[in-house]
Amino acid sequence: MSNPVNCYVEVIVPLSLEGSFTYAVPEEFRDLIKVGIRVEVEFGKSKRYSALVKKIVDATSWKQIKNIIDVLDNQAIVTDKQFALWDWMTEYYLCSLGEIMQAALPASYKLSSETIVLPEIIDLTNLDLTDDEYLILEALEVRKSLSIQDIQTFLQKKSVLKIVKSLMERKLLIIIENLQAQNDIPKVKWIKLHPELQKNQEKFHQALTLVQKNENQTHLLLHYLKEKKDYSWIRQNELLHKSSSNSSVLKSLLKKSIFAIQELEKYIYPDSNFAQPIFELSEIQKTAIEQIKTEWTNKDVCLLKGITGSGKTHIYIQLIKETIAQGKQVLYLLPEIALTTQLVIRLKQYFGDDLLEYHSGISNKNRLAIWNACLNHHSLIMGARSSIFLPFKELGLIIIDEEHDQSYKQIDPAPRYNARDAALILAQDHNAKVILGSATPSLESYYNAINNKYGLIKIDSRYGESQLPEIQVIPLKEAAKFNRIKGHFSIDLLEEIQEQLNLKKQVIIFRNRRGYSPVLRCNNCNWEAVCEQCDIHLTIHKESLHLKCHICGIKKPIPSKCPQCEQNSLKMLGFGTEKIEEELTELFPDFKIQRFDLDAARTKTSQSQILEEFEDGSIQILVGTQMLTKGLDFERVALVGVLQADQILLYPDFRAQERAFQLLTQVSGRSGRREELGKVIIQAYNTNHPVLQDVMQHNFDQFFERELSERERFKYPPFVRIIKIEIRHRKEMVAQHAIEYLTMKLKKTLGKRILGPADSNISRIKGYYSKEIFIKLERNSIIIRKAKILIKQLCQEIKNQEGWSSLRIIIDVDPY
Ligand code: ADP
Ligand code: ZN
Ligand code: ZN
């Protein structure tokens, strides 16, 4: 098929601009042009971009039309099905194709004048290079990093993207984004009985006599033999911890060639450990799978509501196996990368190299590789929300694990999409089946399920002998009255912690606030440490010794006296995870206590490091934020403590109750996941709060009924659709005028559906004043479509008005 003689292309540029842009295709490129490939174009003032061809046309109404400069790909890197999803997203979320392109493509595909490149190998001898290529690499030796604009300048060529692309493909260049994730892949040490001893009985007995004299060495060896009857590999940390041994003992055994050791990258497992474990599904699991399949005959989506620890993962594993056997691809979505580590380890046992993970912690290089693997029909991808953008060929199944989780929603920047909802559209385009899984489904999904839009499958018991934990609520007011409080812990909780630690069990303490203390105030003059850019308090971080704004990230030293009245009267109010860690360290000096929050576990590497140490038992108490509430499966956690549950219940938005129920149920679900009954202790002032009662009784239905009727009464989702519009500007009056104007205009058509305007929850963000309105639309597709068109139009109109072009307008459909 050849392209028309008059050939034009509509392309998407990776910028936050509306619509696509038309360029002419000169004759020389005409036969190379295809939909889905990249071309180099000039956009704006001599800036170069790799733009994506969305459409080929033979006529255009545009007068002054530029030519494309070069063709960058032979084959489409974006498929028709992806474009279909993108089109749906622009319409539904009121965002631009350029914004989606930015979010969807791996960095290496988004070359532009601003892109920064770094050298990958430095040795230039023996490379077959063109002059230009040589010059670039040589320059990189000196400058270490270059922007593509720099390259344009010193090559004195405008068109350099193709050269850069070719160097990248030959692994001579890399793109800078996400460099950190590239470098520090964690390593794990593995130990096993030396293969010589395994083969040779006589040597084995010699070895035993060799260590006999040394009690510690004998102990360690016997422990290993007991633990690994098949002489397979065990993690070094796990072995040392379980045998209460130390590394010098291990060293001696290695020296005597009684043990063998190897160090492997994380996620890579010793061969002998790789034998696919055989598992047998329980009757309950088998029934659930049958029910799912029955539902799938007339519905594409099933909600699997199984309590924490009910064995949902093995149900997924079975369905994934069957889908792969049919030659189709599977996407396994997870809300957070913190979760992938453990699940990847679990699933790798079954799927080996068939399983690829995709999320922000994966290096650019690997992302590109996964993108291409997907195009080539790779079978199983596990990833965070952005993996809905991968170029699947033929999806058979999408699993959306922890479907209720709010991190499926991208809040900033645009596209502000919910990956759970977009995944349903993706599944439709592929004719794929979907499982939404959760112990605490979102109100929206459960509502759809009971209204027969989705199939509903319930599992109400845990797998095996395990039971749901016993939940106890401690009234803080009374505890204080009877002097049964130490720091932020009730004596009951402390006694329980001690007891579990004595039994060699582990403890999780939950506090949903990071830092040491959230407010620094002067007792004398009432001065408070607030951010100069944002309308919030600065949080005290004692470990790194500074005050920090959790919105804009600004850091300041902690003042020693009040900056206003200069008295030594500063006081820290409230408490965060750091403070709790400090208290626990004092209370339980003989145990290892570790924090798990955004500060302590910034990268995926440090996250998995901590989880690994918790898993192998070297950490006994884990203190953390919601990062640790989700999906994690630890064998020895016997107690979960929640400090001040009240704060979780007091968020100022309509999802507060739902979120609190989910959070408390999920964090409780980490306790007692094996034979022995686990325990949960929740400390609260308002112990009568209905959500606490629901959580305590493990009563989802009671919670759901009450919450649903509230939502109906006050008109909230799932009964209406919400669109939030935020207008930001450095000058408060400008933002105020603009939002008032927008409200007035919208009200003409939409009337009472408009709520506001009002200051945003945080009324100033990074120096910008923020005003917002909410639009509540009944669930009527015609009204919703009309409203969306109107909103887009008006927002554009506002931006075009004099003095208002510098407004930031943020449209958020289905906000969280
Ligand atoms: P959920 O995801 O529903 O909270 P999990 O899938 O983590 O629960 O299951 C809880 C525990 O039970 C896990 O440790 C898991 O390995 C184990 N388990 C579940 N089903 C099986 C099975 N069929 N065979 C062996 N172990 C299982
Ligand atoms: Zn003061
Ligand atoms: Zn700030």
Side-chain angles (χ1 to χ4, degrees), residues 280 285 308-314 346 463 633 673-674:
E280 179 101 35
Q285 286 169 324
T308 56
S310 59
K312 297 185 285 295
T313 319
H314 280 78
R346 272 170 85 181
Y463 174 80
D633 185 38
R673 290 171 71 86
R674 295 299 182 272

Side-chain angles (χ1 to χ4, degrees), residues 419-474:
R420 174 194 65 206
D421 302 337
L424 297 183
I425 304 299
L426 176 66
Q428 265 175 25
D429 291 342
H430 283 263
N431 258 322
K433 300 294 180 195
V434 179
I435 298 190
L436 299 164
S438 175
T440 51
S442 63
L443 236 71
E444 282 93 335
S445 295
Y446 198 65
Y447 181 75
N448 282 335
I450 58 173
N451 284 311
N452 257 322
K453 239 178 110 179
Y454 304 157
L456 176 61
I457 290 89
K458 290 190 195 176
I459 309 180
D460 292 322
S461 55
R462 278 190 160 177
Y463 174 80
E465 302 294 303
S466 173
Q467 301 277 317
L468 279 179
E470 181 199 317
I471 303 179
Q472 188 188 350
V473 177
I474 305 273

Side-chain angles (χ1 to χ4, degrees), residues 662-680:
Q662 289 163 349
L663 200 62
L664 291 172
T665 305
Q666 292 288 349
V667 73
S668 304
R670 303 312 114 210
S671 182
R673 290 171 71 86
R674 295 299 182 272
E675 288 75 24
E676 288 139 86
L677 188 66
K679 196 156 189 182
V680 178

